């Protein structure tokens, strides 16, 4: 690969990058660079401890600057698509309309996105899960039914799924249609070259050539660069590259879908670590929001993941772990970016040039978390839980709904005491038609550069309120298709 010049270099092999690389490799000489390792289906053995070190940013220990939010992001070939829980949603129409109205997204561009949803769903085998939900999801469904709230079936990107439940550790059967399984083989067959386990520090655009510079000092030349390092990685590369940013827009308005959870103990076994991790959801409180709107889902509950988020210690911690077979958890996934007191965070660089996500949680968000906890514990009691607790350092394990609601009302909503998590990073390189308010134009081209494009979730002007993979795939396809047709030139 020494001294080779490429037509295009794509940085990042997650949803946006790998799909772009596959499409571009049909007619161009493409190099795909991934920061994480190349792990194949045969390497996945459902071992939590190994998977988190191998497949996640900072060994699944990435936190925001004040340690207030645990951020789970993929870091291997396939990125987040290798380790996500397969929940696949189209970008909500209401969100697209909001971007048209407030961020200058053209109706024609939105139509292109909507027109491409079917082809993305076909390529990645996205369809509603048609196997009965596991007990963990059935509890959410049952509680919602008792409260007369509609429950919906989650579409999943799987083919011949074995219903194991270990999606977050890499699918050992290759059933999950991640970009690792779906795009990378085609990319390599097309003659694309893959460079993994290599960090890109910066990019340079000279008069006749662009360069990608690696941490080890190597440089690769190309005609065009496609950035897809994600909502933290892409802004960090642009910042390290010294790109002119007079309005200080790069890395700003970074969104997370903050998540809070409640836990319940049932008499019967739940076994929340078996079966499709997410198959039931409700958008009732997004369409009819209490404060900041949120989506209701359940997470899979595996021992290492559980032990890392339980905010208690010693005997109390041990009691939770020992009851894992009877445990159900519900999560609220918050839709940030739509209220003046919910404007996300910003990507900064530390003294080593590494990205740090500064995401202060406002009082508005804290109170939204409190309201969601009340709803989640009610759902669990309605579903027949024996004991329920908000996941909070000082929360009690309660035996009745009134006791639990009273306990939640007394809790101090503050960093560390209230565990907050996220698996979705969006924004930071806002896409729009106003050069004074956006980092990227409506062709996906980075403002101030002529030959650099972005094809990942950092383009979103707000969060989505849904798991973002399908939205990223579709946006990437539209930008890449337009580029290949020469509409931007």
């Amino acid at each position: 690969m020494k001294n080779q010049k490429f037509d295009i270099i794509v940085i990042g092999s997650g949803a946006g990058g790998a799909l772009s690389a596959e499409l571009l490799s049909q007619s161009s000489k493409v190099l795909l660079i991934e920061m994480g390792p190349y792990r194949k289906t045969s390497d996945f053995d459902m071992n939590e401890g190994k998977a988190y070190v191998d497949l996640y940013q900072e060994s699944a220990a990435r936190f925001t600057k004040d340690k207030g939010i645990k951020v789970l992001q993929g870091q291997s070939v396939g990125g987040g698509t290798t380790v996500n829980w397969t929940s696949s949603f189209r970008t909500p129409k209401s969100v697209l309309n909001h971007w048209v109205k407030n961020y200058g997204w053209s109706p024609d561009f939105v139509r292109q996105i909507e027109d491409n949803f079917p082809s993305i769903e076909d390529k990645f085998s996205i369809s509603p899960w048609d196997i009965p939900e596991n007990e963990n999801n059935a509890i959410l469904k049952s509680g919602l039914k008792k409260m007369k709230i509609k429950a919906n079936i989650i579409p999943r990107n799987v083919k011949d799924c074995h219903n194991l439940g270990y999606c977050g550790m890499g699918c050992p059967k290759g059933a999950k249609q991640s970009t690792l399984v779906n795009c990378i083989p085609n990319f390599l067959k097309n003659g694309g070259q893959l460079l993994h386990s290599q960090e890109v520090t910066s990019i340079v655009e000279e008069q006749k050539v662009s360069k990608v510079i690696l941490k080890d000092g190597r440089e690769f030349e190309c005609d065009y660069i496609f950035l897809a390092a994600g909502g933290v990685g892409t802004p960090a590369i642009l910042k390290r590259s010294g790109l002119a940013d007079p309005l200080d827009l790069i890395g700003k308005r970074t969104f997370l879908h903050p998540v809070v959870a409640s836990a319940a103990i049932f008499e019967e076994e739940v076994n929340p670590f078996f079966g499709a991790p997410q198959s039931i959801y409700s958008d009732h409180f997004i369409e009819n929001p209490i404060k900041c709107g949120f989506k209701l889902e359940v997470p899979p509950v595996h021992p290492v993941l559980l032990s890392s988020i339980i905010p208690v210690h010693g005997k109390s911690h041990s009691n939770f772990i020992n009851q894992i077979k009877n445990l159900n958890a519900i999560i609220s996934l918050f839709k940030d970016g739509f209220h003046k007191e919910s404007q996300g965070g910003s990507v900064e660089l530390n003294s080593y040039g590494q990205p740090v996500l500064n995401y202060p949680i406002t009082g508005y968000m804290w109170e939204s978390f409190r309201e969601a906890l009340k709803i989640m514990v009610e759902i669990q009691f309605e579903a027949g839980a024996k004991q329920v607790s908000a996941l909070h350092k000082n929360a009690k394990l309660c035996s009745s709904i009134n006791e639990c609601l009273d306990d939640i009302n007394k809790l101090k909503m503050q960093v560390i005491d209230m565990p907050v998590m996220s698996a979705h990073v969006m924004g930071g390189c806002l896409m729009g038609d106003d050069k004074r308010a956006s980092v990227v134009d409506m062709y996906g081209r980075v403002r101030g550069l002529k030959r650099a494009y972005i094809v990942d979730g950092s383009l979103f002007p707000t969060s989505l309120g849904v798991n973002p993979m399908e939205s990223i795939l579709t946006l990437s396809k539209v930008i890449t298709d337009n580029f290949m047709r020469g509409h931007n030139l």
Side-chain angles (χ1 to χ4, degrees):
M1 203 177 291
K2 187 177 180 181
N3 297 324
Q4 285 191 60
K5 182 178 181 292
F6 296 87
D7 297 324
I8 302 165
I9 295 179
V10 180
I11 303 169
S13 65
L19 178 58
S20 273
E22 179 191 359
L23 295 172
L24 293 165
S25 68
Q26 294 170 8
S27 57
S28 300
K29 184 179 180 181
V30 181
L31 172 64
L32 176 60
I33 303 176
E34 167 58 47
M35 184 180 182
Y38 189 12
R39 297 290 183 263
K40 300 179 182 179
T41 297
S42 58
D43 295 319
F44 303 140
D45 59 5
M46 303 191 297
N47 182 317
E48 268 193 286
K50 177 183 174 185
Y52 297 148
V53 172
D54 251 10
L55 306 177
Y56 287 77
Q57 290 279 357
E58 300 175 34
S59 300
R62 171 170 277 180
F63 280 84
T64 52
K65 188 174 183 178
D66 65 359
K67 311 303 180 189
I69 305 177
K70 181 182 179 71
V71 182
L72 294 172
Q73 284 185 281
Q75 182 186 283
S76 70
V77 174
T81 73
T82 298
V83 296
N84 69 20
W85 299 336
T86 75
S87 298
S88 304
F89 296 92
R90 296 183 177 189
T91 316
K93 181 69 174 176
S94 61
V95 172
L96 291 171
N97 288 341
H98 182 77
W99 294 350
V100 169
K101 181 179 179 180
N102 295 281
Y103 297 98
W105 284 42
S106 72
D108 179 65
F109 188 79
V110 167
R111 275 193 295 273
Q112 289 182 62
I113 289 173
E114 293 178 322
D115 288 347
N116 274 278
F117 284 139
S119 64
I120 289 294
E121 289 163 358
D122 181 63
K123 176 175 172 57
F124 290 90
S125 301
I126 295 171
S127 62
W129 185 234
D130 59 2
I131 293 175
E133 65 274 358
N134 67 3
E135 186 61 26
N136 199 29
N137 282 270
I139 287 168
L140 174 60
K141 182 179 179 180
S142 171
L144 288 170
K145 184 177 181 180
K146 293 280 183 64
M147 294 171 66
K148 296 181 168 52
I149 295 173
K150 184 180 179 182
N152 301 287
I153 297 173
I154 293 178
R156 305 182 66 224
N157 64 312
V158 294
K159 184 188 295 184
D160 300 324
C161 177
H162 288 61
N163 205 22
L164 298 176
Y166 285 72
C167 306
M169 290 150 238
C171 178
K173 296 296 183 181
K176 184 200 298 189
Q177 294 301 291
S178 63
T179 59
L180 170 68
V181 169
N182 192 292
C183 300
I184 298 298
N186 293 332
F187 167 73
L188 296 174
K189 191 182 298 182
N190 291 340
Q193 296 189 50
L194 174 64
L195 182 62
H196 63 86
S197 308
Q198 297 295 329
E199 182 179 355
V200 172
T201 57
S202 58
I203 61 173
V204 176
E205 189 173 283
E206 298 176 349
Q207 188 173 359
K208 294 184 178 181
V209 70
S210 295
K211 293 181 181 179
V212 172
I213 302 168
L214 303 186
K215 190 174 183 179
D216 64 10
R218 282 183 292 168
E219 298 181 3
F220 293 97
E221 294 185 349
C222 59
D223 294 322
Y224 294 94
I225 296 170
F226 275 57
L227 285 153
V232 173
T234 292
I237 291 171
L238 293 181
K239 281 178 171 288
R240 288 194 297 257
S241 301
L243 183 67
D245 185 22
L247 298 177
D248 193 26
L249 297 175
I250 297 173
K252 296 299 193 294
R253 290 186 63 78
T254 301
F255 303 103
L256 283 178
H257 286 159
V259 166
V260 297
S262 63
I265 306 298
F266 285 77
E267 290 283 1
E268 64 274 15
E269 288 191 358
V270 177
N271 294 324
F273 36 80
F274 285 145
Q278 294 183 322
S279 54
I280 299 295
Y281 77 99
S282 174
D283 274 348
H284 180 81
F285 297 101
I286 281 184
E287 301 304 326
N288 304 284
I290 295 177
K291 293 190 179 292
C292 186
F294 57 89
K295 175 186 290 290
L296 288 167
E297 298 174 334
V298 303
V301 184
H302 296 276
V304 175
L305 181 62
L306 177 63
S307 62
S308 72
I309 63 173
I310 297 174
V312 293
H313 305 282
K315 188 174 181 181
S316 296
H317 189 281
S318 176
N319 286 341
F320 257 113
I321 298 297
N322 288 335
Q323 296 185 85
I324 192 170
K325 284 187 176 181
N326 301 82
L327 185 70
N328 158 263
I330 298 178
I331 57 175
S332 292
L333 182 151
F334 286 84
K335 180 180 171 184
D336 49 341
F338 292 84
H339 187 278
K340 64 180 181 180
E341 293 184 53
S342 172
Q343 294 300 303
S346 58
V347 175
E348 305 169 353
L349 297 180
N350 64 18
S351 58
Y352 299 98
Q354 293 301 305
V356 177
L357 179 53
N358 184 12
Y359 189 106
I361 303 174
T362 64
Y364 169 81
M365 293 297 294
W366 283 124
E367 288 309 308
S368 297
F369 297 165
R370 189 191 303 275
E371 295 305 316
L373 288 172
K374 293 177 185 178
I375 289 163
M376 291 188 292
V377 301
E378 184 177 359
I379 291 169
Q380 289 166 319
F381 275 116
E382 289 287 357
K386 180 175 66 173
Q387 292 179 300
V388 179
S389 175
L391 274 186
H392 184 286
K393 177 182 175 183
N394 299 312
K396 296 192 300 185
L397 195 57
C398 303
S399 300
S400 72
I401 180 61
N402 289 335
E403 181 188 8
C404 211
L405 294 177
D406 183 59
D407 186 52
I408 290 170
N409 280 329
K410 295 175 183 176
L411 297 174
K412 286 186 177 181
M413 292 289 156
Q414 59 188 18
V415 169
I416 306 301
D417 286 0
M418 177 77 235
V420 184
M421 300 145 280
S422 182
H424 309 150
V425 184
M426 300 148 287
C429 293
L430 189 150
M431 183 181 193
D433 68 340
D434 185 351
K435 64 182 180 181
R436 298 164 300 178
S438 57
V439 176
V440 173
D441 69 19
M442 291 308 300
Y443 290 109
R445 182 169 43 202
V446 179
R447 296 191 184 279
L449 299 174
K450 295 180 179 179
R451 301 188 299 274
Y453 294 77
I454 296 178
V455 285
D456 63 24
S458 68
L459 297 173
F460 299 146
T462 66
S463 75
L464 305 171
V466 299
N467 306 57
M469 180 185 66
E470 185 174 348
S471 296
I472 296 170
L473 288 167
T474 310
L475 183 58
S476 171
K477 184 175 186 301
V478 170
I479 292 172
T480 306
D481 283 349
N482 285 337
F483 173 86
M484 293 172 71
R485 294 187 191 111
H487 289 181
N488 58 303
L489 302 176

